[in-house]
Amino acid sequence: MTTLIIGGSGFLGAELIRQATTAEQATAATYATRPGDAAQALWYPLDLRDASRLDAVMSEVRPRLVINASSGGADWAVTAQSPIRLAMAAASHGARLVHVSSDAVFSGSRVHYDESSLPDPVTPYGAAKAAAETGVLAVHPEAVVARTSLIIGDGGSVHERLVHELAAGTRDGALFTDDIRCPVHVADLAAALLELASGNSSGIHHVAGPDAVSRHELGILIARRDGLDASRLPTGLRSDSPLPGALDVRLDSRETQRKLSTTLRGARVVLHGAISGPPGAN
């Protein structure tokens, strides 16, 4: 079986390639600007907005599984429309599809969200992600749409790099104490996506960690793990900032977890330690 990773040069995409090739799956991957470092994968340049190029890649690779780990921000053509085009191509080629979505599809008004919760986005990015979910499942009903949260790792994620830069004083900004999510380790997320792909699951799934933590608490956990001075991390309130978006969004992944042998670990477990009385604790 050949697995095609869309967005293979990204943080999640690289881990998907690593795990798929470790499992001795023939693996191909696409990139928008430059290929990733994984020599085990066959690399293909791809702009998902280009339907003819997408069809050419699908015809050459002939994948049995496609995982869309690409990210286009708030660009509607990339984030909303292109996944639907990809789903149509996967369906026409008889390929299984796992599409990675985001907790940005929710406003935070309910705080706790399971798979039955209806999207109510409050940002252009969230709206694009929500539109993609609907379109993907409309044209490829057997697809898996996997919503996740902040993705962390062993130092390579954007969140971990931000903490290092803030602690070093090389970047301005603040870690909000009222911005709460359910982070997941990239290795757990990739394993869960590949496991969902290997079964008969379809529809919406939540794949996030069980710990709800603020961005500030997450920053302190990262700083302590990495030997940084956590007291140097600036704090603030997102509600006092001009940044749009939900404040408190907690993905309930228990239903999906019951289907998985992969354990979705919480941020406090992954980062080795908890803070007494953390903001955003469940």
Side-chain angles (χ1 to χ4, degrees):
M1 179 182 80
T2 299
T3 298
L4 175 62
I5 310 298
I6 306 296
S9 57
F11 185 56
L12 173 58
E15 179 63 19
L16 285 164
I17 292 170
R18 187 191 71 79
Q19 292 193 24
T21 55
T22 298
E24 299 184 345
Q25 296 179 21
T27 306
T30 72
Y31 62 94
T33 55
R34 64 179 185 274
D37 297 328
Q40 305 96 322
L42 294 175
W43 289 94
Y44 296 84
L46 176 64
D47 183 336
L48 277 175
R49 296 169 296 183
D50 185 340
S52 61
R53 174 60 184 164
L54 173 59
D55 188 64
V57 171
M58 292 290 291
S59 296
E60 182 171 345
V61 175
R62 300 179 66 83
R64 297 301 301 159
L65 167 64
V66 179
I67 301 180
N68 182 20
S70 64
S71 176
D75 187 319
W76 188 266
V78 176
T79 302
Q81 296 174 329
S82 292
I84 302 171
R85 185 176 299 111
L86 175 63
M88 293 173 65
S92 67
H93 285 266
R96 184 152 172 73
L97 174 67
V98 175
H99 170 72
V100 181
S101 191
S102 166
D103 58 11
V105 302
F106 297 121
S107 70
S109 61
R110 288 183 51 181
V111 178
H112 298 275
Y113 294 89
D114 63 18
E115 287 88 346
S116 67
S117 303
L118 296 177
D120 60 341
V122 293
T123 63
Y125 172 68
K129 279 293 193 180
E133 289 184 1
T134 300
V136 164
L137 292 176
V139 301
H140 198 333
E142 295 79 24
V144 169
V145 170
R147 295 179 183 138
T148 193
S149 189
L150 304 182
I151 306 174
I152 57 176
D154 299 319
S157 72
V158 295
H159 312 293
E160 291 159 294
R161 293 198 301 269
L162 171 62
V163 169
H164 277 250
E165 292 167 1
L166 290 173
T170 59
R171 179 168 176 168
D172 294 328
L175 296 175
F176 298 131
T177 58
D178 60 346
D179 186 334
I180 298 166
R181 298 294 187 271
C182 294
V184 64
H185 194 280
V186 65
D188 298 347
L189 176 57
L193 295 175
L194 289 166
E195 189 176 344
L196 288 170
S198 67
N200 297 318
S201 297
S202 62
I204 302 291
H205 290 72
H206 285 182
V207 190
D211 293 342
V213 298
S214 72
R215 294 197 185 239
H216 180 248
E217 183 188 356
L218 180 62
I220 291 178
L221 290 169
I222 291 168
R224 288 180 175 176
R225 180 198 66 184
D226 295 347
L228 306 176
D229 184 355
S231 68
R232 293 180 56 85
L233 298 176
T235 66
L237 293 173
R238 184 165 186 160
S239 55
D240 289 340
S241 80
L243 293 175
L247 292 180
D248 193 342
V249 176
R250 310 184 191 197
L251 292 186
D252 183 345
S253 302
R254 288 176 294 180
E255 182 63 29
T256 297
Q257 179 66 87
R258 282 191 282 268
K259 302 177 182 178
L260 297 172
S261 61
T262 300
T263 298
L264 299 169
R265 296 169 294 167
R268 299 186 189 101
V269 172
V270 168
L271 297 170
H272 306 296
I275 301 169
S276 60
N282 282 316

